[in-house]
């Protein structure tokens, strides 16, 4: 029997909050979620606010993740940040393959290398996947998500499980206010679990739903059997709103 999956609620701030604003947010969030939240909680600030967030959350159980990580440890990669750099900054993990990064040019091959580099360095990697509206309308969601996950996990092995989380985020639900129905979220997360099971113990792998999660819809989405938490964008920017989503997961 696999251990029950502890839910994870992660807030993806995208390009929001200065270091000072991050410090203020983290201090407020720590009070709201309390010393021992019943679920894992993480924030994903922009690079410039990582250290302030790590510092403000030092005595809490709230984790800090970057929004991307480069596959190389160092080198001539202007504008990029490596896994060892994140680790040295006290960061716990990184998103990899967010659809906004893929739209900006991150390729499937890079995503697979970044998953590997992040895990190798000791970061927890939150691999993001999800289809566009065109793909969903064409009835191609299963095939597309399967390929994305297979490609991203090509070099992942059973021992990597503790450092791997997957977030299913349909692009048409990101920042649009349109959420997948619990049935759609469940169906896609079950597909992700079955594909990932070829690489790691799927029964123990945490799979999050993301896409317009808010305090009003979080509980029913996270109640789905294959949804183990949420990756939250817009509704994670306010500490009270984010704390309500954390409470809905517990
Ligand atoms: P959203 O963003 O909650 O604002 O839709 C989610 C995400 O992109 O991770």
């Amino acid at each position: 029997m696999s251990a029950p999956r502890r839910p994870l609620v992660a807030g993806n701030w995208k390009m929001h909050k200065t270091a000072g604003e991050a410090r203020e947010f983290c201090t407020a969030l720590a009070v709201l979620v309390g010393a021992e939240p019943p679920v894992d909680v993480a924030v994903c600030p922009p690079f410039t606010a990582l250290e302030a967030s790590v510092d403000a959350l030092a005595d809490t159980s709230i984790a800090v993740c970057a929004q991307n990580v480069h596959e190389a440890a160092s080198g001539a990669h202007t504008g990029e940040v490596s896994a060892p750099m994140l680790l040295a900054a006290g960061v716990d993990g990184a998103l990899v393959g967010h659809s906004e990064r893929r739209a900006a040019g991150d390729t499937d091959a890079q995503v697979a290398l970044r998953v590997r580099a992040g895990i190798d360095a000791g970061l927890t990697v939150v691999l993001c996947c999800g289809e566009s509206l065109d793909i969903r309308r064409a009835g191609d969601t299963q095939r597309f998500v399967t390929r994305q996950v297979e490609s991203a996990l090509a070099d992942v092995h059973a021992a990597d499980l503790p450092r791997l989380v997957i977030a299913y985020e349909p692009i048409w639900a990101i920042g649009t206010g349109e959420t997948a129905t619990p049935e759609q979220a469940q169906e896609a997360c079950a597909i992700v679990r079955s594909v990932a099971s070829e690489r790691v113990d799927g029964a123990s792998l945490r799979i999050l739903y993301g896409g317009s999660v808010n305090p009003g819809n979080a509980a029913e989405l996270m109640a789905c059997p294959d949804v183990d938490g949420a990756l939250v964008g817009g509704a994670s920017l306010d500490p009270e709103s984010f704390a309500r989503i954390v409470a809905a997961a517990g």
Side-chain angles (χ1 to χ4, degrees), residues 19-240:
E21 290 164 346
R23 192 177 290 280
E24 213 173 292
F25 175 100
C26 290
T27 305
L29 182 67
V31 172
L32 288 167
V33 305
E36 286 175 14
V39 302
D40 286 347
V41 181
V43 293
C44 312
F47 288 128
T48 48
L50 286 172
E51 292 207 71
S53 302
V54 167
D55 189 42
L57 295 171
D59 296 326
T60 77
S61 63
I62 301 172
V64 177
C65 297
Q67 296 172 16
N68 202 0
V69 59
H70 195 270
E71 61 270 29
S74 62
H77 303 288
T78 304
E80 301 289 351
V81 172
S82 74
M85 289 170 177
L86 293 176
L87 221 66
V91 169
D92 305 290
L95 306 181
V96 172
H98 189 281
S99 61
E100 288 156 14
R101 292 302 328 161
R102 293 180 191 261
D106 293 6
T107 64
D108 281 342
Q110 277 176 317
V111 168
L113 290 170
R114 289 170 183 199
V115 168
R116 189 65 259 156
I119 292 174
D120 281 344
L123 295 172
T124 295
V125 166
V126 181
L127 165 70
C128 304
C129 63
E131 81 289 357
S132 67
L133 190 56
D134 283 353
I135 290 169
R136 177 159 284 268
R137 283 194 175 137
D140 231 6
T141 298
Q142 173 157 5
R143 197 172 61 100
F144 182 83
V145 171
T146 297
R147 277 210 197 148
Q148 252 186 350
V149 174
E150 275 175 354
S151 157
L153 300 188
D155 198 20
V156 163
H157 314 286
D160 299 324
L161 175 79
R163 299 231 168 269
L164 180 68
V165 175
I166 301 183
Y168 166 70
E169 299 201 300
I171 295 168
W172 47 272
I174 294 178
T176 59
E178 190 180 336
T179 319
T181 63
E183 294 72 29
Q184 288 171 323
Q186 166 56 29
E187 188 184 24
C189 288
I191 291 166
V192 170
R193 191 177 306 286
S194 111
V195 177
S197 296
E198 288 162 29
R199 297 269 161 207
V200 296
D201 173 23
S204 303
L205 175 68
R206 290 187 293 182
I207 300 176
L208 316 182
Y209 167 79
S212 297
V213 174
N214 62 47
N217 61 26
E220 64 170 355
L221 286 160
M222 293 189 283
C224 297
D226 282 299
V227 178
D228 307 314
L231 181 55
V232 187
S236 76
L237 293 173
D238 169 69
E240 263 107 41

Side-chain angles (χ1 to χ4, degrees), residues 8-31:
L8 166 65
V9 177
N12 173 14
W13 296 359
K14 309 192 180 188
M15 200 169 70
H16 294 285
K17 297 193 192 296
T18 62
E21 290 164 346
R23 192 177 290 280
E24 213 173 292
F25 175 100
C26 290
T27 305
L29 182 67
V31 172

